């Protein structure tokens, strides 16, 4: 089964695709907004690590760390990378 969603945001769109197979589910999240700076890609899921926001406010740095921990808890894999159109998050999780 394949499911698609598209959400419009200020400065871009977020496309979500879920592919369900008998033994795993894959989730692709593509954001057409700004890329993650190369120096930050290795640290983006570290607890309390955050990048400056356009509005000047600092985030808690817990969001992607939480996602990573949940994925690991379920024996899945998380991959975050820049693409020519923005950022792609790929989550691969085994199904019970």
């Amino acid at each position: 089964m394949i499911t698609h969603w598209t959400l419009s945001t200020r400065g871009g769109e977020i496309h979500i695709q879920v592919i369900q197979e008998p033994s795993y589910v894959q989730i692709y999240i593509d954001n057409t907004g700004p890329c993650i700076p190369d120096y930050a890609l290795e640290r983006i899921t570290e607890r309390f690590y955050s990048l400056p926001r356009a509005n000047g406010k600092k985030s808690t740095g817990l969001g992607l760390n939480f996602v990573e921990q949940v994925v690991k808890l379920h024996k899945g894999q998380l991959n975050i990378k820049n693409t020519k159109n923005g950022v792609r998050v790929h989550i691969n999780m085994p199904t019970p």
Side-chain angles (χ1 to χ4, degrees), residues 48-53 55-63:
F48 305 122
Y49 184 79
S50 68
L51 294 168
R53 294 182 177 202
N55 64 8
K57 294 184 180 181
K58 188 168 172 65
S59 71
T60 62
L62 293 174

Side-chain angles (χ1 to χ4, degrees), residues 30-60:
D30 292 293
N31 182 345
T32 63
C35 289
I36 298 168
D38 290 337
Y39 68 85
L41 275 172
E42 292 292 321
R43 300 187 62 199
I44 201 72
T45 59
E46 285 181 19
R47 188 179 307 168
F48 305 122
Y49 184 79
S50 68
L51 294 168
R53 294 182 177 202
N55 64 8
K57 294 184 180 181
K58 188 168 172 65
S59 71
T60 62

Side-chain angles (χ1 to χ4, degrees), residues 15-41:
H15 303 275
I16 303 168
Q17 179 182 30
V18 179
I19 303 170
Q20 186 173 356
E21 299 288 343
S23 61
Y24 63 90
V25 63
Q26 293 190 69
I27 303 168
Y28 293 94
I29 304 164
D30 292 293
N31 182 345
T32 63
C35 289
I36 298 168
D38 290 337
Y39 68 85
L41 275 172

Side-chain angles (χ1 to χ4, degrees), residues 2 25 41 48 56 59 65 70 75 82:
I2 299 176
V25 63
L41 275 172
F48 305 122
S59 71
N65 179 261
V70 170
K75 299 185 181 7
N82 287 324

Side-chain angles (χ1 to χ4, degrees), residues 9 26 33 36 41 50 56 58 64 66 68-70 73-76 80-81 86 90:
T9 64
Q26 293 190 69
I36 298 168
L41 275 172
S50 68
K58 188 168 172 65
L64 286 174
F66 177 77
E68 181 182 54
Q69 295 306 312
V70 170
L73 180 66
H74 292 281
K75 299 185 181 7
I80 302 170
K81 67 179 184 177
H90 176 222

